[in-house]
Amino acid sequence: MARILVVGDVVDDLIVRPLTAVTPASDTPAVIRRRDGGSAANVSAWLGWQGADVMFVGRAGHDGAERHTEALARFDVQARIAADGEQDTATIVITLDAVGERTMYVDRGANSALTTKDVPLSAWKDVRWLHLTGYTFFDPVTRPVAQELVARARDRGVTVSLDPGSVAFLREAGVEEFARWTSGVDVVLPNLDELRCMTGEDEPDRAVLELSRWYPTVVATLGAAGSVQMTPDGFLVRQRAEAAEVEDLTGAGDAFAAGFIAASADGLEPQQALRRGAETAAIAVSRTGARPVLGEVRSAL
């Protein structure tokens, strides 16, 4: 079994589902829940849930480091979460609309204090795959950390995957600048909005071809239309979406990434890896929150 290293954000998600039409400047009844989150930490949880050998490295405030370490350990993730003495644990407020789509308000907190010292040499033992997210690159403080990790992975022959993570931040940074920051990444995993933003192409097949100029392997999730992969040898592989009753889209891309990465790291063919991603994402969207449910049967995978 391939060992997978995931480095990046760990977050306290506050999920707000209004029960009526929103009343500006007054009260709106809602269901509000706190959930463990952070794109990189979510990927780790889904990887561990699938039985992958995974280590997560991140940073949280003193209020959250132990709590998040224990939360990931429940999914058999080896977590190294440094406790920051100055910053609080990152928080994201997520508001959901009637179809489960999200609007997010982000406070990066201790994620912005991540350093290369948080990722010791021992964390690289037997690693064959490194996964990062765009949030670490978008933050000018942690960008050098992410780039150093990519360089270390390249030196070790480790495959590097990247989830761009945010259309808003991509637009702000500029696509070519982001591509320069992320040079050396082997596999990029955008959603449809990110794919279109990064290429200027509406049609997914043309878009993944365009994006392959910068990344050897492009794996794009297309919502209800499924997913498509451009392989390094120029082949297009398509996968339909799995049927699911959508409750919450939070973490769907993280779940897909985890399914795809786990299968790919174990040497499965692209079609099988895409199918695993689709199956994992279908499970994720069927409940509130971005993580697996403890004790949930994995037989579907």
Side-chain angles (χ1 to χ4, degrees):
M1 183 183 298
R3 166 159 270 220
I4 301 164
L5 173 62
V6 182
V7 181
D9 289 3
V10 58
V11 174
D12 289 334
D13 285 346
L14 293 178
I15 302 173
V16 181
R17 184 184 296 276
L19 297 177
T20 65
V22 175
T23 307
S26 189
D27 299 312
T28 300
V31 175
I32 302 174
R33 297 289 182 267
R34 194 202 72 79
R35 295 287 189 269
D36 299 321
S39 180
N42 294 339
V43 172
S44 298
W46 284 104
L47 284 167
W49 179 78
Q50 293 175 83
D53 180 6
V54 56
M55 173 176 285
F56 172 77
V57 176
R59 197 168 187 88
H62 275 299
D63 61 314
E66 183 176 354
R67 171 165 50 83
H68 279 288
T69 297
E70 292 174 351
L72 288 173
R74 297 187 190 108
F75 298 105
D76 297 323
V77 176
Q78 298 180 50
R80 294 173 181 248
I81 301 178
D84 193 277
E86 298 181 3
Q87 303 269 13
D88 292 333
T89 301
T91 302
I92 296 180
V93 176
I94 303 167
T95 61
L96 301 177
D97 65 15
V99 295
E101 190 54 86
R102 309 145 297 150
T103 299
M104 294 173 281
Y105 302 86
V106 182
D107 179 349
R108 283 184 51 73
N111 288 321
S112 290
L114 183 74
T115 73
T116 53
K117 293 180 180 178
D118 294 326
V119 193
L121 290 177
S122 59
W124 291 93
K125 181 176 173 56
D126 299 326
V127 168
R128 291 175 53 190
W129 194 291
L130 168 68
H131 181 68
L132 302 168
T133 69
Y135 299 106
T136 312
F137 287 93
F138 291 127
D139 188 328
V141 177
T142 58
R143 187 180 308 139
V145 178
Q147 291 171 325
E148 175 63 22
L149 293 175
V150 173
R152 290 182 185 181
R154 303 292 293 179
D155 288 344
R156 291 167 169 77
V158 171
T159 299
V160 183
S161 59
L162 169 69
D163 181 345
S166 171
V167 168
F169 292 160
L170 276 169
R171 288 172 179 156
E172 181 180 351
V175 174
E176 291 192 6
E177 187 72 355
F178 183 75
R180 185 180 66 80
W181 293 342
T182 59
S183 176
V185 166
D186 301 291
V187 183
V188 66
L189 295 128
N191 63 25
L192 182 57
D193 288 340
E194 293 158 359
L195 179 69
R196 287 170 170 166
C197 175
M198 295 179 77
T199 63
E201 294 281 358
D202 285 334
E203 205 283 319
D205 287 2
R206 290 199 300 269
V208 294
L209 176 61
E210 176 68 17
L211 198 54
S212 68
R213 294 191 302 116
W214 290 321
Y215 306 99
T217 299
V218 180
V219 181
T221 54
L222 311 175
S227 57
V228 61
Q229 176 178 352
M230 174 67 75
T231 66
D233 51 9
F235 286 101
L236 279 174
V237 183
R238 296 180 178 84
Q239 173 63 37
R240 64 176 176 82
E242 294 291 316
E245 185 171 337
V246 177
E247 173 73 16
D248 177 6
L249 293 173
T250 306
D254 300 330
F256 179 94
F260 176 85
I261 290 167
S264 298
D266 281 343
L268 298 185
E269 294 298 318
Q271 191 73 63
Q272 295 170 297
L274 289 178
R275 185 177 303 114
R276 177 76 67 83
E279 292 167 348
T280 311
I283 294 170
V285 300
S286 65
R287 83 289 300 279
T288 297
R291 302 272 179 95
V293 174
L294 286 171
E296 188 169 34
V297 177
R298 310 177 197 181
S299 58
L301 303 180

